[in-house]
Each structure stands twice: as structure tokens, then as C-alpha cells.
Amino acid sequence: VSYLPDKMALPTWLAVTEALNLYANFFADFDRARAENLLHSLKVPPGKKIGELSKGMQEKLMLTLTMARRAKLYVLDEPIAGVDPAARDLIISTIIDNFADGSSLLISTHIISDVEAVFDDVIFLKEGAVDLQGEAEALRSQHGKSIDQLFREVYRC
């Protein structure tokens, strides 16, 4: 399992390249070349310390570390929450293009509209219980609404 937490999980005094070294030493399935390619495509500066990076760049670093593993399951907690709207498409395409073949991807998010196109199945949890679940296209057809519209309906305050 490769997990992307919703907050920075590494010491901020580490340099980006040191974070890659840490993951390479800790996870046997870590693909260093893939990580370096992701850093480059996401424009994360490898020589900077994590604490010198913006919140969005820190999230891109954590995404890089997560997606550079050859895991069977990727669990991403709010992968686009701290990223500006202009960068969200890049983040989403990076996620879709980089999870390992034969693997599953679980995304926990409140920003439905930006990721709805990649959903196969959807589960809405409300107060610790499953409130709505099913195949995304079937839910759209059954309710005559987008997943984002259903989400807003289920969680209306």
C-alpha cells in the first residue's frame, strides 16, 4: 500500500533529494527513476529543503513519493486540496498516468468536480456510515445528476 497523507509527513529540514533517498531505503518497491521524472514534470526543485517549498510544492513532493512506488493499492487522502485550481489537472493526470498496472487507486476527497471524470466507483460516507455507493456511471444515470451534484445533495448543510 502506498499512502498519500493529507498533511506533510516528513521532517521539513530534509532536502527533497534526501526524501527520495529515505523512500528508496525504506520501500523496496520505490522506483527512483520514476520519482526523479515526476519531480521534473511537477517542477519540484530537488535541491530545496521541504520547509522552503510552498504548500502546493510539498503536496507535489508527497505525491511524487507516493506514486513512485510499485504498490498494489494507492490510497490518496485529499491529493488536490492544497493545490491551486490551475495545477489540479496536472496532479490528476499525474496520478492516473503513474499508478502501477494491475493496481487499485482509492481517492478520498471533497473536491469532487475536479476528479469526477476518473471515478469508476463511488462511496459516500456520512457520520461514519456508507450513505451512498455504486458504480459512478450507474449512479449518474439512476439519479440524473453528476457525482458532484449528488455529493452536494448528500452533504448539504
Side-chain angles (χ1 to χ4, degrees):
V1 175
S2 188
Y3 174 64
L4 174 69
D6 67 337
K7 293 182 175 37
M8 175 50 65
L10 296 172
T12 57
W13 49 263
L14 275 180
V16 170
T17 53
E18 292 172 322
L20 266 62
N21 292 341
L22 178 69
Y23 266 60
N25 288 330
F26 195 77
F27 296 107
D29 63 358
F30 187 73
D31 184 335
R32 179 67 180 241
R34 175 185 256 182
E36 290 171 355
N37 287 335
L38 285 168
L39 283 182
H40 179 73
S41 69
L42 295 172
K43 297 180 176 45
V44 178
K48 286 205 172 191
K49 297 207 179 290
I50 294 171
E52 297 172 341
L53 300 174
S54 68
K55 185 175 192 283
M57 280 292 165
Q58 288 181 9
E59 290 194 11
K60 288 177 182 179
L61 169 61
M62 291 304 299
L63 179 65
T64 294
L65 295 169
T66 302
M67 300 311 295
R69 294 191 47 214
R70 302 284 183 185
K72 294 289 182 194
L73 175 65
Y74 296 86
V75 179
L76 311 181
D77 189 3
E78 296 291 352
I80 57 174
V83 179
D84 64 83
R88 287 182 183 159
D89 288 341
L90 175 63
I91 298 297
I92 293 165
S93 66
T94 299
I95 291 167
I96 298 306
D97 293 342
N98 287 285
F99 76 96
D101 290 338
S103 296
S104 297
L105 174 65
L106 176 68
I107 299 175
S108 171
T109 187
H110 294 92
I111 306 172
I112 305 302
S113 60
D114 289 339
V115 294
E116 178 171 346
V118 303
F119 293 156
D120 290 327
D121 296 285
V122 178
I123 301 172
F124 290 168
L125 299 175
K126 188 173 183 181
E127 298 177 14
V130 174
D131 193 63
L132 180 66
Q133 73 176 33
E135 195 267 335
E137 195 54 45
L139 289 172
R140 288 183 194 104
S141 295
Q142 178 183 357
H143 294 273
K145 298 177 181 178
S146 70
I147 300 299
D148 185 55
Q149 289 169 325
L150 282 171
F151 176 83
R152 292 169 191 271
E153 186 178 288
V154 168
Y155 296 103
R156 183 175 292 131
C157 295

